[in-house]
Amino acid sequence: EMLPILTKPLIQYGVEEAMSAGMTTMAMVTSKYKQAIKNHFEPHADIESSINGTAKSALLDEVNHASEQCDFTYIEQDQMLGLGHAIYTGKPLIGNDPFAVILPDDLCTNKGDSVLTQMTKLYQQHPDHCIVAIEEVPMTEVDKYGVIDGELLEDSDDAYRVKSMVEKPSPEEAPTNLAIIGRYILTPEIFNVLESTAPDKNGEIQITDALMTLAKEGKVIAYKFQGERFDCGSVKGFVVATNAFAKVDGII
Ligand code: G1P
């Protein structure tokens, strides 16, 4: 999360995407080894006063903008027991409101509305539904993702009502090549469902399994977003993202 693409760490791109969708309450599920995230968003009076007025002050503005406009809260996930468990760990910070989940190693860009803004607009048309962002991936890569099967909503060519979803299937098992990427809008109902979601064969509680429970009630929509996603959790994706951002900025 703290690896930078050009001048900003991935976590900051995530926060800025949430801000672009009108969100200002940032709940971070971290671990005791990730203190750098909290440090990054906290004011640093000494550093700020030495940078202010220099050519580098613009870099500082971006962090300060987020710190001033948003409330940050943090909670530690004591064991790595899956994404569903991580999201459940955030429950005390979220309360009883719908919320978005951003996995910052999936870096998303778009010339128009950010991916989370697109999803927020869709949520407003379908309140009480969970929304997952999807993209087509090569069939050989489906085993890295949650994969959905569904039917296009009436009058839509990019939003599906999810009929089933499966976590990291083999290419033979996968119903489609529509892979979930790290953007979700979830209703607070998900917390009750997570409480009774059994761990998978690796002992992890998967958000995909919890969402499948809601999908059976027709309450999950998968949205093929406009824009591009970089898998910065892999070395290759990180390098591709760095190059793509450098080209956009005219650096290379
Ligand atoms: C998680 C989810 C998976 C989703 C992916 C998106 O997997 O479990 O369903 O497709 O994020 O990045 P992870 O990458 O944490 O293994």
Side-chain angles (χ1 to χ4, degrees), residues 140-207:
T140 49
E141 288 181 23
V142 287
D143 60 355
K144 296 201 290 194
Y145 301 94
V147 175
I148 69 111
D149 193 9
E151 278 168 17
L152 279 173
L153 297 183
E154 216 175 300
D155 298 332
S156 173
D157 57 5
D158 54 16
Y160 298 77
R161 187 165 310 277
V162 175
K163 297 267 171 257
S164 73
M165 50 207 308
V166 47
E167 180 70 7
K168 306 200 172 88
S170 67
E172 294 75 36
E173 292 163 334
T176 66
N177 66 339
L178 298 173
I180 302 170
I181 63 117
R183 299 288 181 279
Y184 304 76
I185 291 183
L186 302 175
T187 57
E189 191 179 5
I190 198 74
F191 293 127
N192 289 339
V193 180
L194 280 167
E195 264 169 29
S196 54
T197 300
D200 68 5
K201 58 182 186 309
N202 301 318
E204 295 193 344
I205 297 174
Q206 299 299 347
I207 192 66

Short mmCIF file of all heavy atoms in Angstrom, two decimals, residues 140-207:
data_model
loop_
_atom_site.label_atom_id
_atom_site.label_comp_id
_atom_site.label_asym_id
_atom_site.label_seq_id
_atom_site.Cartn_x
_atom_site.Cartn_y
_atom_site.Cartn_z
N THR A 140 -7.12 -18.08 -18.59
CA THR A 140 -5.98 -18.68 -17.86
C THR A 140 -5.71 -17.97 -16.53
O THR A 140 -4.92 -18.45 -15.73
CB THR A 140 -4.70 -18.58 -18.72
OG1 THR A 140 -4.60 -17.24 -19.20
CG2 THR A 140 -4.71 -19.56 -19.87
N GLU A 141 -6.34 -16.80 -16.33
CA GLU A 141 -6.06 -16.04 -15.09
C GLU A 141 -7.22 -16.02 -14.10
O GLU A 141 -7.13 -15.39 -13.05
CB GLU A 141 -5.67 -14.61 -15.45
CG GLU A 141 -4.29 -14.54 -16.07
CD GLU A 141 -3.88 -13.13 -16.41
OE1 GLU A 141 -4.41 -12.17 -15.81
OE2 GLU A 141 -3.02 -12.99 -17.29
N VAL A 142 -8.32 -16.73 -14.44
CA VAL A 142 -9.49 -16.65 -13.56
C VAL A 142 -9.19 -17.17 -12.15
O VAL A 142 -9.84 -16.76 -11.18
CB VAL A 142 -10.72 -17.42 -14.13
CG1 VAL A 142 -11.35 -16.68 -15.29
CG2 VAL A 142 -10.34 -18.85 -14.51
N ASP A 143 -8.18 -18.02 -12.03
CA ASP A 143 -7.90 -18.60 -10.70
C ASP A 143 -7.25 -17.61 -9.73
O ASP A 143 -6.93 -17.95 -8.61
CB ASP A 143 -7.06 -19.87 -10.82
CG ASP A 143 -5.72 -19.61 -11.50
OD1 ASP A 143 -5.48 -18.47 -11.94
OD2 ASP A 143 -4.90 -20.55 -11.57
N LYS A 144 -7.09 -16.34 -10.17
CA LYS A 144 -6.57 -15.31 -9.26
C LYS A 144 -7.69 -14.44 -8.66
O LYS A 144 -7.44 -13.54 -7.87
CB LYS A 144 -5.61 -14.36 -10.01
CG LYS A 144 -4.36 -15.06 -10.54
CD LYS A 144 -3.24 -14.07 -10.79
CE LYS A 144 -3.53 -13.18 -11.96
NZ LYS A 144 -2.42 -12.41 -12.49
N TYR A 145 -8.94 -14.72 -9.08
CA TYR A 145 -10.03 -13.78 -8.78
C TYR A 145 -11.29 -14.49 -8.28
O TYR A 145 -11.45 -15.69 -8.48
CB TYR A 145 -10.42 -13.02 -10.05
CG TYR A 145 -9.31 -12.23 -10.66
CD1 TYR A 145 -8.53 -12.77 -11.68
CD2 TYR A 145 -9.01 -10.95 -10.21
CE1 TYR A 145 -7.49 -12.05 -12.25
CE2 TYR A 145 -7.98 -10.22 -10.78
CZ TYR A 145 -7.23 -10.77 -11.79
OH TYR A 145 -6.20 -10.04 -12.34
N GLY A 146 -12.20 -13.68 -7.72
CA GLY A 146 -13.58 -14.10 -7.61
C GLY A 146 -14.19 -13.92 -8.99
O GLY A 146 -13.92 -12.94 -9.68
N VAL A 147 -15.00 -14.89 -9.42
CA VAL A 147 -15.56 -14.86 -10.78
C VAL A 147 -17.09 -14.95 -10.67
O VAL A 147 -17.61 -15.71 -9.85
CB VAL A 147 -15.00 -16.04 -11.61
CG1 VAL A 147 -15.67 -16.11 -12.98
CG2 VAL A 147 -13.49 -15.90 -11.76
N ILE A 148 -17.77 -14.14 -11.48
CA ILE A 148 -19.24 -14.10 -11.38
C ILE A 148 -19.91 -14.73 -12.61
O ILE A 148 -19.32 -14.81 -13.68
CB ILE A 148 -19.78 -12.67 -11.20
CG1 ILE A 148 -19.59 -11.81 -12.49
CG2 ILE A 148 -19.13 -11.95 -10.04
CD1 ILE A 148 -20.89 -11.49 -13.18
N ASP A 149 -21.16 -15.12 -12.39
CA ASP A 149 -22.04 -15.46 -13.50
C ASP A 149 -23.31 -14.65 -13.27
O ASP A 149 -23.72 -14.48 -12.12
CB ASP A 149 -22.35 -16.96 -13.49
CG ASP A 149 -22.99 -17.40 -14.80
OD1 ASP A 149 -23.05 -16.60 -15.76
OD2 ASP A 149 -23.45 -18.55 -14.86
N GLY A 150 -23.88 -14.12 -14.34
CA GLY A 150 -25.09 -13.32 -14.13
C GLY A 150 -25.77 -12.98 -15.43
O GLY A 150 -25.37 -13.45 -16.50
N GLU A 151 -26.82 -12.18 -15.31
CA GLU A 151 -27.57 -11.76 -16.49
C GLU A 151 -27.60 -10.24 -16.54
O GLU A 151 -27.83 -9.60 -15.50
CB GLU A 151 -29.02 -12.26 -16.40
CG GLU A 151 -29.16 -13.69 -16.84
CD GLU A 151 -30.53 -14.26 -16.47
OE1 GLU A 151 -31.46 -13.47 -16.18
OE2 GLU A 151 -30.64 -15.49 -16.46
N LEU A 152 -27.41 -9.70 -17.74
CA LEU A 152 -27.44 -8.24 -17.87
C LEU A 152 -28.78 -7.70 -17.36
O LEU A 152 -29.84 -8.30 -17.61
CB LEU A 152 -27.26 -7.84 -19.34
CG LEU A 152 -25.82 -7.82 -19.87
CD1 LEU A 152 -25.83 -7.57 -21.37
CD2 LEU A 152 -24.97 -6.75 -19.17
N LEU A 153 -28.72 -6.60 -16.64
CA LEU A 153 -29.96 -5.93 -16.24
C LEU A 153 -30.65 -5.40 -17.49
O LEU A 153 -30.00 -5.08 -18.48
CB LEU A 153 -29.67 -4.75 -15.30
CG LEU A 153 -29.03 -5.03 -13.95
CD1 LEU A 153 -28.90 -3.73 -13.16
CD2 LEU A 153 -29.84 -6.04 -13.16
N GLU A 154 -31.95 -5.28 -17.40
CA GLU A 154 -32.70 -4.74 -18.54
C GLU A 154 -32.15 -3.36 -18.92
O GLU A 154 -31.85 -2.56 -18.03
CB GLU A 154 -34.17 -4.60 -18.12
CG GLU A 154 -35.15 -4.90 -19.23
CD GLU A 154 -36.56 -4.86 -18.70
OE1 GLU A 154 -36.87 -5.66 -17.79
OE2 GLU A 154 -37.34 -4.03 -19.19
N ASP A 155 -32.02 -3.10 -20.21
CA ASP A 155 -31.54 -1.80 -20.71
C ASP A 155 -30.10 -1.49 -20.32
O ASP A 155 -29.70 -0.33 -20.28
CB ASP A 155 -32.43 -0.63 -20.22
CG ASP A 155 -33.85 -0.76 -20.71
OD1 ASP A 155 -34.03 -1.36 -21.79
OD2 ASP A 155 -34.75 -0.28 -20.01
N SER A 156 -29.33 -2.50 -19.97
CA SER A 156 -27.94 -2.22 -19.59
C SER A 156 -27.00 -3.12 -20.38
O SER A 156 -27.35 -4.26 -20.73
CB SER A 156 -27.75 -2.49 -18.10
OG SER A 156 -26.38 -2.39 -17.78
N ASP A 157 -25.82 -2.58 -20.70
CA ASP A 157 -24.82 -3.46 -21.33
C ASP A 157 -23.58 -3.59 -20.45
O ASP A 157 -22.56 -4.11 -20.87
CB ASP A 157 -24.44 -2.96 -22.74
CG ASP A 157 -23.93 -1.53 -22.71
OD1 ASP A 157 -23.77 -0.97 -21.60
OD2 ASP A 157 -23.66 -0.98 -23.79
N ASP A 158 -23.68 -3.11 -19.20
CA ASP A 158 -22.51 -3.22 -18.33
C ASP A 158 -22.83 -3.61 -16.90
O ASP A 158 -21.92 -3.70 -16.07
CB ASP A 158 -21.71 -1.90 -18.36
CG ASP A 158 -22.56 -0.69 -18.02
OD1 ASP A 158 -23.67 -0.87 -17.48
OD2 ASP A 158 -22.11 0.43 -18.30
N ALA A 159 -24.08 -3.84 -16.57
CA ALA A 159 -24.43 -4.21 -15.18
C ALA A 159 -25.21 -5.53 -15.18
O ALA A 159 -26.20 -5.67 -15.90
CB ALA A 159 -25.24 -3.11 -14.52
N TYR A 160 -24.71 -6.48 -14.40
CA TYR A 160 -25.31 -7.82 -14.36
C TYR A 160 -25.93 -8.07 -12.99
O TYR A 160 -25.33 -7.71 -11.97
CB TYR A 160 -24.22 -8.89 -14.55
CG TYR A 160 -23.49 -8.85 -15.86
CD1 TYR A 160 -22.48 -7.91 -16.08
CD2 TYR A 160 -23.77 -9.78 -16.86
CE1 TYR A 160 -21.78 -7.88 -17.27
CE2 TYR A 160 -23.08 -9.76 -18.06
CZ TYR A 160 -22.08 -8.80 -18.26
OH TYR A 160 -21.40 -8.78 -19.44
N ARG A 161 -27.10 -8.73 -12.99
CA ARG A 161 -27.57 -9.28 -11.72
C ARG A 161 -26.84 -10.60 -11.52
O ARG A 161 -26.87 -11.47 -12.38
CB ARG A 161 -29.08 -9.50 -11.73
CG ARG A 161 -29.58 -9.91 -10.36
CD ARG A 161 -31.09 -9.80 -10.21
NE ARG A 161 -31.66 -8.53 -10.63
CZ ARG A 161 -31.73 -7.41 -9.90
NH1 ARG A 161 -31.22 -7.40 -8.68
NH2 ARG A 161 -32.29 -6.31 -10.37
N VAL A 162 -26.13 -10.70 -10.40
CA VAL A 162 -25.27 -11.86 -10.19
C VAL A 162 -26.11 -13.07 -9.77
O VAL A 162 -26.94 -12.99 -8.88
CB VAL A 162 -24.20 -11.56 -9.11
CG1 VAL A 162 -23.39 -12.80 -8.79
CG2 VAL A 162 -23.29 -10.42 -9.58
N LYS A 163 -25.88 -14.16 -10.50
CA LYS A 163 -26.59 -15.41 -10.17
C LYS A 163 -25.70 -16.31 -9.32
O LYS A 163 -26.16 -17.00 -8.43
CB LYS A 163 -26.94 -16.17 -11.47
CG LYS A 163 -27.88 -15.43 -12.37
CD LYS A 163 -29.32 -15.86 -12.08
CE LYS A 163 -30.31 -14.99 -12.82
NZ LYS A 163 -30.97 -14.00 -12.00
N SER A 164 -24.42 -16.32 -9.65
CA SER A 164 -23.51 -17.10 -8.81
C SER A 164 -22.13 -16.47 -8.86
O SER A 164 -21.82 -15.67 -9.76
CB SER A 164 -23.45 -18.56 -9.27
OG SER A 164 -22.74 -18.66 -10.46
N MET A 165 -21.34 -16.79 -7.88
CA MET A 165 -19.97 -16.30 -7.84
C MET A 165 -19.10 -17.32 -7.13
O MET A 165 -19.54 -17.98 -6.18
CB MET A 165 -19.88 -14.91 -7.22
CG MET A 165 -20.56 -14.72 -5.91
SD MET A 165 -21.08 -13.00 -5.64
CE MET A 165 -19.61 -12.08 -5.92
N VAL A 166 -17.87 -17.45 -7.60
CA VAL A 166 -16.99 -18.46 -7.04
C VAL A 166 -15.59 -17.86 -6.89
O VAL A 166 -15.13 -17.11 -7.73
CB VAL A 166 -17.03 -19.76 -7.90
CG1 VAL A 166 -16.89 -19.46 -9.36
CG2 VAL A 166 -16.01 -20.77 -7.46
N GLU A 167 -14.96 -18.20 -5.76
CA GLU A 167 -13.64 -17.63 -5.46
C GLU A 167 -12.54 -18.48 -6.09
O GLU A 167 -12.45 -19.68 -5.85
CB GLU A 167 -13.46 -17.53 -3.93
CG GLU A 167 -12.13 -16.96 -3.47
CD GLU A 167 -11.95 -15.47 -3.75
OE1 GLU A 167 -12.90 -14.80 -4.19
OE2 GLU A 167 -10.83 -14.98 -3.53
N LYS A 168 -11.72 -17.84 -6.90
CA LYS A 168 -10.53 -18.44 -7.51
C LYS A 168 -10.78 -19.83 -8.10
O LYS A 168 -10.15 -20.82 -7.69
CB LYS A 168 -9.38 -18.47 -6.49
CG LYS A 168 -9.12 -17.08 -5.92
CD LYS A 168 -7.76 -16.91 -5.30
CE LYS A 168 -7.51 -15.46 -4.94
NZ LYS A 168 -7.92 -15.01 -3.64
N PRO A 169 -11.69 -19.91 -9.07
CA PRO A 169 -11.96 -21.21 -9.70
C PRO A 169 -10.85 -21.58 -10.68
O PRO A 169 -10.12 -20.71 -11.17
CB PRO A 169 -13.26 -20.95 -10.46
CG PRO A 169 -13.18 -19.49 -10.81
CD PRO A 169 -12.46 -18.82 -9.68
N SER A 170 -10.73 -22.85 -10.99
CA SER A 170 -9.86 -23.26 -12.10
C SER A 170 -10.54 -22.83 -13.40
O SER A 170 -11.77 -22.61 -13.40
CB SER A 170 -9.66 -24.77 -12.09
OG SER A 170 -10.89 -25.39 -12.38
N PRO A 171 -9.80 -22.72 -14.50
CA PRO A 171 -10.44 -22.34 -15.77
C PRO A 171 -11.59 -23.30 -16.12
O PRO A 171 -12.60 -22.87 -16.67
CB PRO A 171 -9.30 -22.45 -16.79
CG PRO A 171 -8.06 -22.24 -15.99
CD PRO A 171 -8.33 -22.81 -14.62
N GLU A 172 -11.47 -24.56 -15.76
CA GLU A 172 -12.54 -25.53 -16.06
C GLU A 172 -13.80 -25.24 -15.24
O GLU A 172 -14.92 -25.39 -15.73
CB GLU A 172 -12.08 -26.97 -15.77
CG GLU A 172 -10.94 -27.48 -16.65
CD GLU A 172 -9.59 -26.88 -16.26
OE1 GLU A 172 -9.35 -26.66 -15.05
OE2 GLU A 172 -8.78 -26.60 -17.17
N GLU A 173 -13.59 -24.82 -13.99
CA GLU A 173 -14.75 -24.59 -13.11
C GLU A 173 -15.40 -23.23 -13.33
O GLU A 173 -16.55 -23.03 -12.96
CB GLU A 173 -14.30 -24.61 -11.64
CG GLU A 173 -13.85 -25.95 -11.10
CD GLU A 173 -13.05 -25.78 -9.81
OE1 GLU A 173 -12.43 -24.69 -9.59
OE2 GLU A 173 -13.02 -26.73 -9.05
N ALA A 174 -14.64 -22.27 -13.89
CA ALA A 174 -15.12 -20.88 -13.94
C ALA A 174 -16.34 -20.75 -14.85
O ALA A 174 -16.32 -21.23 -15.98
CB ALA A 174 -14.00 -19.97 -14.43
N PRO A 175 -17.40 -20.11 -14.34
CA PRO A 175 -18.61 -19.96 -15.16
C PRO A 175 -18.43 -18.97 -16.31
O PRO A 175 -19.08 -19.07 -17.35
CB PRO A 175 -19.66 -19.47 -14.17
CG PRO A 175 -18.89 -18.83 -13.06
CD PRO A 175 -17.56 -19.54 -12.99
N THR A 176 -17.56 -17.95 -16.11
CA THR A 176 -17.29 -16.92 -17.11
C THR A 176 -15.85 -16.45 -16.89
O THR A 176 -15.15 -16.98 -16.02
CB THR A 176 -18.20 -15.66 -16.91
OG1 THR A 176 -17.82 -15.05 -15.65
CG2 THR A 176 -19.67 -16.00 -16.89
N ASN A 177 -15.45 -15.45 -17.67
CA ASN A 177 -14.15 -14.81 -17.39
C ASN A 177 -14.35 -13.40 -16.81
O ASN A 177 -13.51 -12.53 -16.96
CB ASN A 177 -13.30 -14.75 -18.66
CG ASN A 177 -13.91 -13.83 -19.70
OD1 ASN A 177 -15.10 -13.54 -19.67
ND2 ASN A 177 -13.08 -13.36 -20.62
N LEU A 178 -15.50 -13.19 -16.15
CA LEU A 178 -15.79 -11.88 -15.54
C LEU A 178 -15.27 -11.88 -14.10
O LEU A 178 -15.87 -12.49 -13.20
CB LEU A 178 -17.30 -11.60 -15.58
CG LEU A 178 -17.91 -11.51 -16.98
CD1 LEU A 178 -19.44 -11.41 -16.91
CD2 LEU A 178 -17.33 -10.30 -17.74
N ALA A 179 -14.12 -11.23 -13.91
CA ALA A 179 -13.41 -11.29 -12.63
C ALA A 179 -13.70 -10.07 -11.77
O ALA A 179 -13.76 -8.94 -12.28
CB ALA A 179 -11.91 -11.38 -12.89
N ILE A 180 -13.87 -10.31 -10.48
CA ILE A 180 -14.09 -9.21 -9.53
C ILE A 180 -12.74 -8.54 -9.24
O ILE A 180 -11.74 -9.21 -8.99
CB ILE A 180 -14.67 -9.75 -8.21
CG1 ILE A 180 -15.99 -10.50 -8.47
CG2 ILE A 180 -14.87 -8.63 -7.20
CD1 ILE A 180 -16.50 -11.28 -7.27
N ILE A 181 -12.74 -7.21 -9.32
CA ILE A 181 -11.52 -6.48 -8.95
C ILE A 181 -11.78 -5.74 -7.63
O ILE A 181 -12.90 -5.75 -7.12
CB ILE A 181 -11.05 -5.54 -10.08
CG1 ILE A 181 -12.08 -4.45 -10.37
CG2 ILE A 181 -10.76 -6.34 -11.36
CD1 ILE A 181 -11.59 -3.10 -10.09
N GLY A 182 -10.75 -5.11 -7.10
CA GLY A 182 -10.83 -4.62 -5.73
C GLY A 182 -11.64 -3.37 -5.47
O GLY A 182 -11.17 -2.42 -4.84
N ARG A 183 -12.87 -3.35 -5.93
CA ARG A 183 -13.80 -2.26 -5.64
C ARG A 183 -15.17 -2.87 -5.36
O ARG A 183 -15.71 -3.60 -6.19
CB ARG A 183 -13.95 -1.29 -6.83
CG ARG A 183 -12.68 -0.60 -7.26
CD ARG A 183 -12.24 0.46 -6.27
NE ARG A 183 -11.03 1.15 -6.70
CZ ARG A 183 -9.80 0.67 -6.55
NH1 ARG A 183 -9.60 -0.50 -6.00
NH2 ARG A 183 -8.76 1.37 -6.96
N TYR A 184 -15.72 -2.52 -4.20
CA TYR A 184 -17.03 -3.05 -3.80
C TYR A 184 -17.83 -1.93 -3.17
O TYR A 184 -17.25 -1.05 -2.52
CB TYR A 184 -16.88 -4.12 -2.72
CG TYR A 184 -15.97 -5.30 -3.05
CD1 TYR A 184 -14.58 -5.18 -3.03
CD2 TYR A 184 -16.51 -6.55 -3.35
CE1 TYR A 184 -13.76 -6.27 -3.31
CE2 TYR A 184 -15.68 -7.64 -3.62
CZ TYR A 184 -14.31 -7.49 -3.60
OH TYR A 184 -13.50 -8.57 -3.87
N ILE A 185 -19.13 -1.94 -3.36
CA ILE A 185 -20.02 -1.16 -2.49
C ILE A 185 -20.88 -2.18 -1.76
O ILE A 185 -21.50 -3.06 -2.40
CB ILE A 185 -20.87 -0.15 -3.28
CG1 ILE A 185 -19.94 0.94 -3.84
CG2 ILE A 185 -21.94 0.47 -2.38
CD1 ILE A 185 -20.64 2.04 -4.60
N LEU A 186 -20.87 -2.12 -0.44
CA LEU A 186 -21.54 -3.14 0.36
C LEU A 186 -22.57 -2.49 1.27
O LEU A 186 -22.37 -1.37 1.76
CB LEU A 186 -20.52 -3.92 1.19
CG LEU A 186 -19.40 -4.61 0.39
CD1 LEU A 186 -18.38 -5.24 1.33
CD2 LEU A 186 -19.97 -5.66 -0.56
N THR A 187 -23.67 -3.21 1.50
CA THR A 187 -24.66 -2.75 2.47
C THR A 187 -24.28 -3.34 3.83
O THR A 187 -23.63 -4.40 3.89
CB THR A 187 -26.08 -3.23 2.05
OG1 THR A 187 -26.04 -4.66 1.93
CG2 THR A 187 -26.49 -2.62 0.72
N PRO A 188 -24.71 -2.70 4.91
CA PRO A 188 -24.30 -3.22 6.24
C PRO A 188 -24.81 -4.63 6.51
O PRO A 188 -24.30 -5.33 7.38
CB PRO A 188 -24.87 -2.19 7.22
CG PRO A 188 -25.85 -1.37 6.46
CD PRO A 188 -25.48 -1.45 5.01
N GLU A 189 -25.82 -5.06 5.73
CA GLU A 189 -26.33 -6.43 5.85
C GLU A 189 -25.20 -7.47 5.72
O GLU A 189 -25.27 -8.56 6.26
CB GLU A 189 -27.35 -6.64 4.71
CG GLU A 189 -28.16 -7.88 4.80
CD GLU A 189 -29.17 -8.01 3.65
OE1 GLU A 189 -29.19 -7.18 2.71
OE2 GLU A 189 -29.94 -8.99 3.71
N ILE A 190 -24.13 -7.08 5.00
CA ILE A 190 -23.03 -8.02 4.75
C ILE A 190 -22.40 -8.49 6.07
O ILE A 190 -21.90 -9.61 6.16
CB ILE A 190 -21.97 -7.38 3.82
CG1 ILE A 190 -21.07 -8.45 3.19
CG2 ILE A 190 -21.12 -6.35 4.54
CD1 ILE A 190 -21.69 -9.26 2.13
N PHE A 191 -22.44 -7.63 7.10
CA PHE A 191 -21.80 -8.02 8.37
C PHE A 191 -22.50 -9.23 9.00
O PHE A 191 -21.86 -10.14 9.50
CB PHE A 191 -21.76 -6.84 9.34
CG PHE A 191 -20.85 -5.72 8.90
CD1 PHE A 191 -21.30 -4.42 8.82
CD2 PHE A 191 -19.53 -5.98 8.56
CE1 PHE A 191 -20.45 -3.39 8.43
CE2 PHE A 191 -18.68 -4.96 8.16
CZ PHE A 191 -19.14 -3.66 8.09
N ASN A 192 -23.85 -9.22 8.96
CA ASN A 192 -24.59 -10.38 9.49
C ASN A 192 -24.26 -11.62 8.69
O ASN A 192 -24.09 -12.70 9.24
CB ASN A 192 -26.11 -10.14 9.40
CG ASN A 192 -26.55 -9.11 10.41
OD1 ASN A 192 -25.85 -8.86 11.38
ND2 ASN A 192 -27.68 -8.48 10.15
N VAL A 193 -24.18 -11.44 7.38
CA VAL A 193 -23.90 -12.60 6.53
C VAL A 193 -22.49 -13.13 6.81
O VAL A 193 -22.28 -14.35 6.93
CB VAL A 193 -24.05 -12.23 5.03
CG1 VAL A 193 -23.76 -13.43 4.15
CG2 VAL A 193 -25.44 -11.69 4.75
N LEU A 194 -21.54 -12.22 6.96
CA LEU A 194 -20.15 -12.65 7.23
C LEU A 194 -20.05 -13.44 8.53
O LEU A 194 -19.26 -14.38 8.64
CB LEU A 194 -19.21 -11.44 7.27
CG LEU A 194 -18.77 -10.89 5.91
CD1 LEU A 194 -18.13 -9.52 6.07
CD2 LEU A 194 -17.82 -11.85 5.20
N GLU A 195 -20.89 -13.06 9.51
CA GLU A 195 -20.85 -13.77 10.80
C GLU A 195 -21.14 -15.25 10.64
O GLU A 195 -20.63 -16.08 11.38
CB GLU A 195 -21.89 -13.15 11.76
CG GLU A 195 -21.28 -12.14 12.67
CD GLU A 195 -22.31 -11.32 13.43
OE1 GLU A 195 -23.43 -11.82 13.70
OE2 GLU A 195 -22.00 -10.17 13.74
N SER A 196 -21.97 -15.58 9.65
CA SER A 196 -22.32 -17.00 9.50
C SER A 196 -21.71 -17.61 8.23
O SER A 196 -22.17 -18.63 7.74
CB SER A 196 -23.84 -17.16 9.50
OG SER A 196 -24.40 -16.31 8.53
N THR A 197 -20.69 -16.94 7.67
CA THR A 197 -20.02 -17.50 6.49
C THR A 197 -18.87 -18.40 6.95
O THR A 197 -17.98 -17.97 7.68
CB THR A 197 -19.48 -16.37 5.58
OG1 THR A 197 -20.60 -15.57 5.15
CG2 THR A 197 -18.77 -16.92 4.34
N ALA A 198 -18.91 -19.64 6.51
CA ALA A 198 -17.89 -20.61 6.94
C ALA A 198 -16.57 -20.31 6.25
O ALA A 198 -16.54 -19.85 5.10
CB ALA A 198 -18.36 -22.01 6.59
N PRO A 199 -15.45 -20.58 6.93
CA PRO A 199 -14.14 -20.44 6.27
C PRO A 199 -14.01 -21.42 5.11
O PRO A 199 -14.66 -22.47 5.11
CB PRO A 199 -13.14 -20.79 7.37
CG PRO A 199 -13.90 -20.80 8.65
CD PRO A 199 -15.34 -21.03 8.32
N ASP A 200 -13.20 -21.07 4.12
CA ASP A 200 -12.96 -21.97 2.98
C ASP A 200 -11.94 -23.04 3.36
O ASP A 200 -11.52 -23.13 4.52
CB ASP A 200 -12.55 -21.17 1.73
CG ASP A 200 -11.17 -20.53 1.89
OD1 ASP A 200 -10.50 -20.76 2.91
OD2 ASP A 200 -10.77 -19.78 0.98
N LYS A 201 -11.49 -23.79 2.35
CA LYS A 201 -10.60 -24.92 2.66
C LYS A 201 -9.23 -24.45 3.21
O LYS A 201 -8.53 -25.22 3.86
CB LYS A 201 -10.41 -25.84 1.44
CG LYS A 201 -9.85 -25.14 0.20
CD LYS A 201 -9.77 -26.14 -0.95
CE LYS A 201 -9.11 -25.61 -2.20
NZ LYS A 201 -9.56 -24.35 -2.75
N ASN A 202 -8.91 -23.18 2.98
CA ASN A 202 -7.66 -22.64 3.54
C ASN A 202 -7.87 -21.91 4.86
O ASN A 202 -6.97 -21.23 5.36
CB ASN A 202 -7.01 -21.67 2.54
CG ASN A 202 -6.71 -22.35 1.22
OD1 ASN A 202 -6.23 -23.49 1.21
ND2 ASN A 202 -7.00 -21.66 0.11
N GLY A 203 -9.07 -22.00 5.40
CA GLY A 203 -9.35 -21.35 6.68
C GLY A 203 -9.64 -19.87 6.54
O GLY A 203 -9.68 -19.15 7.54
N GLU A 204 -9.85 -19.39 5.30
CA GLU A 204 -10.10 -17.96 5.10
C GLU A 204 -11.60 -17.70 4.88
O GLU A 204 -12.28 -18.50 4.23
CB GLU A 204 -9.33 -17.47 3.86
CG GLU A 204 -7.82 -17.54 4.05
CD GLU A 204 -7.08 -16.76 2.98
OE1 GLU A 204 -7.68 -16.43 1.95
OE2 GLU A 204 -5.89 -16.48 3.20
N ILE A 205 -12.06 -16.57 5.40
CA ILE A 205 -13.46 -16.18 5.17
C ILE A 205 -13.48 -15.26 3.95
O ILE A 205 -12.83 -14.20 3.95
CB ILE A 205 -14.05 -15.50 6.41
CG1 ILE A 205 -14.07 -16.52 7.55
CG2 ILE A 205 -15.46 -14.99 6.12
CD1 ILE A 205 -14.48 -15.96 8.88
N GLN A 206 -14.16 -15.71 2.92
CA GLN A 206 -14.13 -14.99 1.64
C GLN A 206 -15.35 -14.08 1.50
O GLN A 206 -16.48 -14.50 1.75
CB GLN A 206 -14.12 -15.99 0.47
CG GLN A 206 -12.91 -16.90 0.45
CD GLN A 206 -11.59 -16.13 0.32
OE1 GLN A 206 -11.57 -14.93 0.00
NE2 GLN A 206 -10.49 -16.81 0.61
N ILE A 207 -15.11 -12.84 1.06
CA ILE A 207 -16.23 -11.93 0.79
C ILE A 207 -17.08 -12.49 -0.36
O ILE A 207 -18.29 -12.32 -0.41
CB ILE A 207 -15.74 -10.48 0.49
CG1 ILE A 207 -16.90 -9.49 0.49
CG2 ILE A 207 -14.98 -10.39 -0.82
CD1 ILE A 207 -17.57 -9.31 1.81
#
